[in-house]
Amino acid sequence: TRLSCVLSSFLLSFQKSSFSSAGAFVEKFAFIAALFVAIRRFILTFVQCESLARALYSHTAIHCNNFSLFAKMAATTFEMDGSVMEGGGQILRLSAALSCIQGASIKINKIRAGRSTPGLRPQHLSGLELVRDMCNGNLEGATVGSSEITLTPGKIKGGNHVADTRTAGSVGLLMQISLPCSLFAQGPSELCLKGGTNAEMAPQIDYTLKVFKPIVERFGVQFDCDLKMRGYYPKGGGEVVLKVNPVKELSPINMTERGNITKIYGRAFVAGVLPFKLAKDMSTAAVLHPISNHLLRYRVYADKVGIEAAEMLLRNIRHNGCVDEFLQDQLIIFMALANGISRMRTGPITLHTQTAIHVAEQLTNAKFVIRKAEDEHANNDTYIIECQGVGATNPSL
């Protein structure tokens, strides 16, 4: 506005200068003087505006830096190596979600190179197609077995979307790729996710409801998760309906004090033709230790499964952390996107968590620091993960 006023003043001086009068020399001199005054005012105003801009930049350096990165991403197709570190589907899910949220094209190669059956499996393909539909984007090279895909996202829209693995592929992993995206949508989303609710090597739906959901809500996330039907290996057939409200931005978390454990409870169940007695055997075996939920594997005795579950819980209690080894990596993307510094207290850092941090730092300006906890309740296995989030905002809100 100030620059406009200066230019208007200059034009006014120009219009008032007439060279047809008798005192042309005087008027020319007056015009030149007015021109120099206008230029001087312009320079002074520019310097003042530049100083103001520098002052504003110094107070919003995080957002300015992040804007530069987002602008670069919007104009570039980033590449992600899917074979690094844990080399599994997590790299695919995080990369696709961050690509969608930031509106940046991404090419992912060597997908799941660290697995015995590399390339896309049906559940990974379903997740990518879900994100493509949510952001009205373009997905290239996505077929079962493919080791390279390119995702070019558009704007994330709300509404109803369905993803069906048609196998026992985990609905929890479908949630991992789609939930962050739906938080930055133009409106509320309803996601119908079909597949396995209780599958090996993936978050159990019970864990998602009882552990993940209450913790992630601390970021300001609001969603309902309705378990319509459980699904198991090999047929799947489970169904979960997710209703998500978008947010303007995510709040940082500070989870560095666990407090006292006041109650431990668990759940043991069977499905299909398995006798109910197996559930009782699992709970009886686990009662010698704190009880947890664990999946009954084929040809494994029920009492052994109960003991394994209890020992797993004990292991995660002993490090005096606020989150367990399975929640660590699931919170990294939310910490990276939050507006401010997040901290969480946990046990030994898993390879999944290290991989999630690597992807987040590659695709955003988030900065992570891992240090050992040094308070009176800490031991050699207690760590603090700290993150300066980028403060991603929802342009539709």
Side-chain angles (χ1 to χ4, degrees):
T1 302
R2 295 176 65 184
L3 290 175
S4 299
C5 290
V6 172
L7 291 174
S8 298
S9 175
F10 166 70
L11 291 174
L12 184 62
S13 299
F14 180 81
Q15 290 171 356
K16 287 182 178 179
S17 299
S18 173
F19 302 115
S20 61
S21 62
F25 175 79
V26 176
E27 290 185 2
K28 283 181 180 180
F29 181 82
F31 170 74
I32 293 172
L35 176 62
F36 274 102
V37 170
I39 292 174
R40 179 178 178 274
R41 289 176 61 190
F42 179 86
I43 293 173
L44 289 174
T45 305
F46 177 80
V47 170
Q48 291 171 0
C49 289
E50 184 184 33
S51 299
L52 177 62
R54 288 182 182 276
L56 288 172
Y57 179 84
S58 66
H59 287 291
T60 59
I62 295 171
H63 293 286
C64 291
N65 289 338
N66 195 44
F67 173 79
S68 299
L69 180 68
F70 284 5
K72 181 180 178 183
M73 291 186 72
T76 308
T77 298
F78 272 65
E79 291 196 18
M80 179 60 64
D81 185 348
S83 67
V84 298
M85 306 182 81
E86 65 100 14
Q90 180 194 41
I91 298 173
L92 181 77
R93 290 187 292 273
L94 286 178
S95 298
L98 288 172
S99 166
C100 183
I101 292 168
Q102 298 179 151
S105 297
I106 191 164
K107 181 179 181 180
I108 309 171
N109 52 46
K110 301 178 184 177
I111 295 171
R112 299 183 66 251
R115 297 293 183 259
S116 57
T117 54
L120 293 179
R121 305 307 304 155
Q123 63 265 33
H124 306 112
L125 179 59
S126 297
L128 287 171
E129 291 174 340
L130 173 60
V131 168
R132 176 202 61 194
D133 295 342
M134 291 175 66
C135 68
N136 197 26
N138 182 50
L139 182 61
E140 300 176 9
T143 57
V144 174
S146 174
S147 61
E148 182 176 298
I149 63 98
T150 300
L151 174 64
T152 305
K155 290 185 178 180
I156 308 174
K157 57 186 179 181
N160 299 337
H161 301 279
V162 179
D164 188 353
T165 66
R166 296 180 176 83
T167 66
S170 172
V171 298
L173 297 182
L174 290 177
M175 194 182 303
Q176 278 189 10
I177 192 173
S178 58
L179 176 60
C181 299
S182 59
L183 295 175
F184 293 89
Q186 295 175 338
S189 302
E190 181 171 313
L191 310 177
C192 181
L193 311 178
K194 300 180 180 181
T197 58
N198 299 81
E200 282 280 16
M201 306 300 293
Q204 308 288 297
I205 190 62
D206 307 88
Y207 184 93
T208 298
L209 292 171
K210 299 295 184 180
V211 181
F212 172 79
K213 185 176 185 294
I215 296 298
V216 80
E217 286 176 344
R218 294 179 178 228
F219 289 95
V221 175
Q222 297 179 0
F223 75 98
D224 292 324
C225 185
D226 186 8
L227 174 59
K228 298 290 188 181
M229 178 77 70
R230 290 184 182 271
Y232 301 93
Y233 179 85
K235 292 184 178 181
E239 182 177 337
V240 171
V241 175
L242 210 63
K243 296 181 180 179
V244 188
N245 291 320
V247 297
K248 178 62 179 178
E249 62 181 15
L250 295 174
S251 302
I253 62 167
N254 187 26
M255 298 178 59
T256 55
E257 296 183 10
R258 184 174 70 186
N260 297 321
I261 298 175
T262 59
K263 182 181 180 181
I264 294 176
Y265 65 96
R267 180 178 298 177
F269 55 88
V270 293
V273 298
L274 295 177
F276 181 66
K277 180 180 181 299
L278 290 179
K280 288 187 175 181
D281 291 343
M282 284 190 288
S283 61
T284 300
V287 81
L288 298 174
H289 303 285
I291 304 171
S292 179
N293 175 47
H294 199 61
L295 185 66
L296 177 60
R297 294 187 295 271
Y298 181 63
R299 288 188 178 178
V300 177
Y301 290 110
D303 56 351
K304 183 180 179 182
V305 174
I307 293 173
E308 284 181 356
E311 289 178 345
M312 186 182 299
L313 178 59
L314 278 175
R315 183 173 70 246
N316 282 280
I317 288 175
R318 291 189 187 105
H319 59 59
N320 293 309
C322 298
V323 303
D324 62 37
E325 61 189 290
F326 306 106
L327 191 59
Q328 281 179 19
D329 64 287
Q330 295 186 60
L331 299 183
I332 294 300
I333 187 172
F334 301 99
M335 295 174 72
L337 295 172
N339 183 17
I341 299 177
S342 294
R343 298 181 182 90
M344 69 173 171
R345 181 188 182 97
T346 186
I349 310 302
T350 66
L351 183 56
H352 268 80
T353 299
Q354 295 174 42
T355 305
I357 290 173
H358 169 77
V359 174
E361 289 187 330
Q362 288 289 307
L363 299 182
T364 74
N365 251 15
K367 300 299 180 185
F368 285 84
V369 176
I370 299 173
R371 56 182 173 84
K372 279 202 169 187
E374 297 178 349
D375 58 273
E376 59 181 340
H377 301 294
N379 56 43
N380 289 334
D381 291 329
T382 313
Y383 293 84
I384 303 291
I385 301 177
E386 182 174 297
C387 173
Q388 174 66 69
V390 298
T393 58
N394 188 335
S396 300
L397 299 183

